[in-house]
Amino acid sequence: SAGLTEAEAEALLAKDLVPRVAAVEACLEVEVTQEQFDSCVSLLFNIGEAAFRGSSVLRAINGKASHALIRQCLLKWNKVRNPKTGQLEVSKGLAKRRADEAKAWP
């Protein structure tokens, strides 16, 4: 199979984003910039709605915490469970993703 065209992939992503965008809108109690909103959608897409709703990141944002604290909370979501050991381990990919998301709170 040839896989997806770029246009098909973009359409699937857009469809997948609809419920995640709605979930972030429902969770946020304060105004954020578009970049900050997008950062929240990226995090929720990765960790799931339940984890996002209970996260220190969301509490910090809704509590109007300092940008430094929000970044600190975001950067903690950088681990994956090793299937062999059952232990949480830092993922370089997730660490980079969180660092990119944290840039929304300079």
Side-chain angles (χ1 to χ4, degrees), residues 79-91:
K79 296 173 187 69
V80 294
R81 191 164 305 281
N82 180 322
K84 292 179 183 172
T85 64
Q87 299 298 308
L88 287 175
E89 298 176 0
V90 173
S91 157

Side-chain angles (χ1 to χ4, degrees), residues 30-45:
V30 296
E31 295 235 354
V32 295
T33 67
Q34 184 65 53
E35 186 180 15
Q36 291 166 345
F37 184 86
D38 294 347
S39 173
C40 290
V41 172
S42 176
L43 178 64
L44 183 142
F45 201 102

